[in-house]
Amino acid sequence: MNTYTKFDKLFILLLLTLVAVFGLLFLRIIPPFQSPDEFDHVKRAYMLSRGVFFLETRKGESTGGMVDTALLNFMEKFTNLPFKPLNKINREETSSASTIRWSGLETYSTAPGTGYYFPLIYTPQAIGLFVGRTLNLTVYSSYQLARTCNIAVSLALLWIAFSYWPCSPLLAALLILPMSLFQLTSACIDYTSISLTALLISIFLYISDSAKDEKEKLFYIMTFLISVISSCRLQMLPVFALVIMSCFNPFRWRKMLFGFFSLVGVLYWTLYSIVNTADLRVSQDASKVDIIFFYLNNPVKFIAVLCNTLSSRELISWYTSGLLGRLGWLDIAFSDSQYIFLLICLSLTIVLSISIKTFASMKIERFLILLASIVSIFIVFASMLIGWSKHPAQIISGVQGRYFTLPFILFSFSISSTWKGHDSIYRRIGLSLNAVFIIFAALVMPIAIIYRYYLG
């Protein structure tokens, strides 16, 4: 049975406090809509705040829905920043944008990037926008409230997760990577997805290691969380293997049925979204369904495309920098030496986290988590091959390093010790490496963000 020391509790409290501080700091200095596709994510959250679950597709246009014209006008003030690293914040435009108020008039606007995501995950942002609109706040204040709600919910989920299972330095490192902290302050779903993943795996390990009576209730919560995350992050679908295992611990038919119908629901949503989402940003010579069947009938071609992609040093470097921190609309990059430094620190944390003893103590559970993390990476490439790459493809396009954060979260739970006994030299080094990431976030990130948006 897993237990906590005072040091464990202090470490978790300090970690979440620092994440909150960074979140509030970056909330002030990062301009609106500076995460990839954040315009579409905010539109999706607005639609949910109006009770709209399903998007629509109009003839000749990408999938979208009805959005308040004031919100669209507010967004327009910041469209000159993405992909234009020489453009800076215009004080007059920003001041003008901050006075825009909700109009109550709606018009159709496309949001194809969110058509595949089950909207429930946008609840924190939707609450912020709803409250802001109800209190007659400006659009800017409502948007900031949506970002704040997203931060608060993400931290709450992590707090609950760590109440079931301790946080290892490897998991902590992933939570405070520059890429993760930047996404924390956006109105996107990245950090919420990270927190949900940490929570559902923590619950799984807890019920696998526990003999307490609440195990069955926690099973239903875990299955629900897996359904939510896998319906908007398809690469998390392999985590349903944990549901199957938990059905036999102990076996209950009602658990099996709940897990089965949850999986069917996720698969139905996935198929529904593939068929009904039109994304005219991508030019493909075949429908997504046709592409899926093409590679199912020709698996060797999928392997060939995947090998071509993974054999590219440039792409591997791109994925690595994206995982560590390629910020904004991928237009805020650190120096090569800084990326190498971060990679060395993360690699050392991984090596120090490996615990054969811990893995052996729950070898089946941890092996399933490890397997899910590996399969998850393949699904990332497969989904981008189907949804974003030209057909037939030579390489897989559109993959970003941050897409591998969730597989790495799974990986951290599969190999990491709980780091009991804070006198351990390994733990001291691991915590020291965490401190390095914190110092980097405190000193390097703000300079890079300020220079990108305000100076130069």
Side-chain angles (χ1 to χ4, degrees):
M1 183 66 185
N2 205 30
T3 57
Y4 289 81
T5 65
K6 290 183 179 180
F7 187 86
D8 288 321
K9 296 177 181 179
L10 179 62
F11 173 62
I12 292 170
L13 179 61
L14 180 60
L15 172 66
L16 295 182
T17 300
L18 287 171
V19 171
V21 170
F22 283 126
L24 295 176
L25 168 65
F26 295 142
L27 189 68
R28 298 297 301 173
I29 65 175
I30 298 175
F33 310 112
Q34 294 312 301
S35 179
D37 293 329
E38 188 173 356
F39 293 107
D40 286 358
H41 286 289
V42 173
K43 293 176 189 177
R44 193 73 176 92
Y46 170 81
M47 295 174 205
L48 181 62
S49 75
R50 301 286 290 176
V52 178
F53 262 66
F54 299 97
L55 302 183
E56 58 180 298
T57 303
R58 296 189 174 183
K59 187 176 181 180
E61 296 187 80
S62 294
T63 297
M66 303 300 289
V67 180
D68 193 290
T69 56
L71 178 58
L72 296 178
N73 291 336
F74 176 70
M75 290 179 174
E76 182 65 28
K77 302 292 185 180
F78 300 94
T79 54
N80 66 317
L81 293 175
F83 306 118
K84 299 174 183 176
L86 297 180
N87 289 0
K88 309 297 178 180
I89 284 292
N90 185 306
R91 300 288 184 180
E92 292 182 2
E93 286 288 331
T94 304
S95 178
S96 172
S98 65
T99 63
I100 297 175
R101 292 191 174 275
W102 297 99
S103 67
L105 303 174
E106 295 184 337
T107 187
Y108 183 82
S109 182
T110 62
T114 65
Y116 305 103
Y117 306 147
F118 191 71
L120 193 61
I121 199 167
Y122 289 100
T123 300
Q125 300 92 319
I127 291 174
L129 294 176
F130 176 80
V131 172
R133 205 169 58 246
T134 302
L135 296 178
N136 197 30
L137 302 180
T138 63
V139 175
Y140 172 72
S141 296
S142 302
Y143 168 78
Q144 289 292 79
L145 185 57
R147 295 168 80 182
T148 304
C149 287
N150 198 31
I151 295 172
V153 170
S154 296
L155 291 173
L157 291 172
L158 287 175
W159 179 265
I160 298 171
F162 299 148
S163 70
Y164 287 109
W165 203 260
C167 176
S168 70
L170 175 55
L171 177 57
L174 295 171
L175 295 176
I176 56 178
L177 283 177
M179 189 75 255
S180 299
L181 290 177
F182 191 92
Q183 292 302 105
L184 169 68
T185 55
S186 75
C188 299
I189 60 175
D190 290 54
Y191 212 92
T192 313
S193 300
I194 290 172
S195 301
L196 282 172
T197 301
L199 176 55
L200 69 91
I201 299 299
S202 295
I203 292 176
F204 170 72
L205 291 173
Y206 176 82
I207 63 179
S208 298
D209 193 43
S210 172
K212 293 188 176 181
D213 295 334
E214 75 268 24
K215 288 174 62 173
E216 185 166 344
K217 179 178 67 176
L218 289 174
F219 166 84
Y220 296 119
I221 295 174
M222 179 193 73
T223 304
F224 172 75
L225 294 176
I226 292 175
S227 300
V228 171
I229 188 66
S230 58
S231 62
C232 61
R233 294 298 193 215
L234 187 61
Q235 67 262 39
M236 293 298 290
L237 198 59
V239 180
F240 265 101
L242 309 184
V243 174
I244 297 174
M245 180 176 182
S246 299
C247 286
F248 294 91
N249 183 30
F251 179 79
R252 295 284 189 276
W253 274 110
R254 57 180 176 268
K255 291 165 60 178
M256 185 70 74
L257 290 173
F258 187 80
F260 173 76
F261 285 113
S262 297
L263 177 59
V264 169
V266 170
L267 294 176
Y268 175 81
W269 169 260
T270 302
L271 180 60
Y272 170 86
S273 62
I274 290 175
V275 172
N276 290 279
T277 299
D279 191 349
L280 301 185
R281 300 174 302 172
V282 185
S283 177
Q284 293 178 308
D285 295 330
S287 70
K288 292 178 176 59
V289 175
D290 290 337
I291 296 174
I292 291 173
F293 279 106
F294 174 83
Y295 286 109
L296 287 176
N297 292 325
N298 301 277
V300 175
K301 293 188 176 182
F302 168 73
I303 295 173
V305 175
L306 181 62
C307 289
N308 286 341
T309 303
L310 295 179
S311 63
S312 170
R313 290 186 178 181
E314 292 79 8
L315 287 176
I316 295 299
S317 176
W318 174 257
Y319 302 152
T320 303
S321 64
L323 173 68
L324 297 172
R326 188 169 286 272
L327 313 180
W329 285 75
L330 312 180
D331 54 12
I332 305 178
F334 303 117
S335 67
D336 290 343
S337 59
Q338 288 171 330
Y339 281 123
I340 292 173
F341 175 72
L342 289 173
L343 181 59
I344 291 173
C345 290
L346 183 60
S347 299
L348 286 174
T349 307
I350 291 173
V351 172
L352 292 171
S353 297
I354 297 175
S355 173
I356 302 300
K357 181 179 179 181
T358 299
F359 189 91
S361 66
M362 300 178 70
K363 53 182 178 294
I364 298 178
E365 292 86 351
R366 292 184 184 272
F367 176 76
L368 277 179
I369 299 173
L370 178 61
L371 184 61
S373 71
I374 296 172
V375 176
S376 177
I377 293 174
F378 281 97
I379 293 178
V380 168
F381 285 104
S383 60
M384 296 309 292
L385 175 62
I386 295 166
W388 197 257
S389 305
K390 291 185 177 181
H391 181 71
Q394 298 300 316
I395 63 170
I396 302 173
S397 304
V399 178
Q400 299 178 31
R402 63 190 175 94
Y403 297 167
F404 302 111
T405 303
L406 296 185
F408 264 90
I409 295 291
L410 296 175
F411 177 73
S412 73
F413 277 100
S414 71
I415 67 165
S416 292
S417 164
T418 55
W419 301 84
K420 293 179 183 177
H422 60 270
D423 292 331
S424 166
I425 184 64
Y426 295 105
R427 181 169 191 167
R428 289 181 176 181
I429 297 174
L431 294 175
S432 298
L433 291 169
N434 282 171
V436 170
F437 287 113
I438 292 170
I439 293 171
F440 190 95
L443 299 181
V444 180
M445 277 187 68
I447 294 174
I449 291 169
I450 292 171
Y451 183 83
R452 163 62 183 91
Y453 296 115
Y454 303 99
L455 302 177

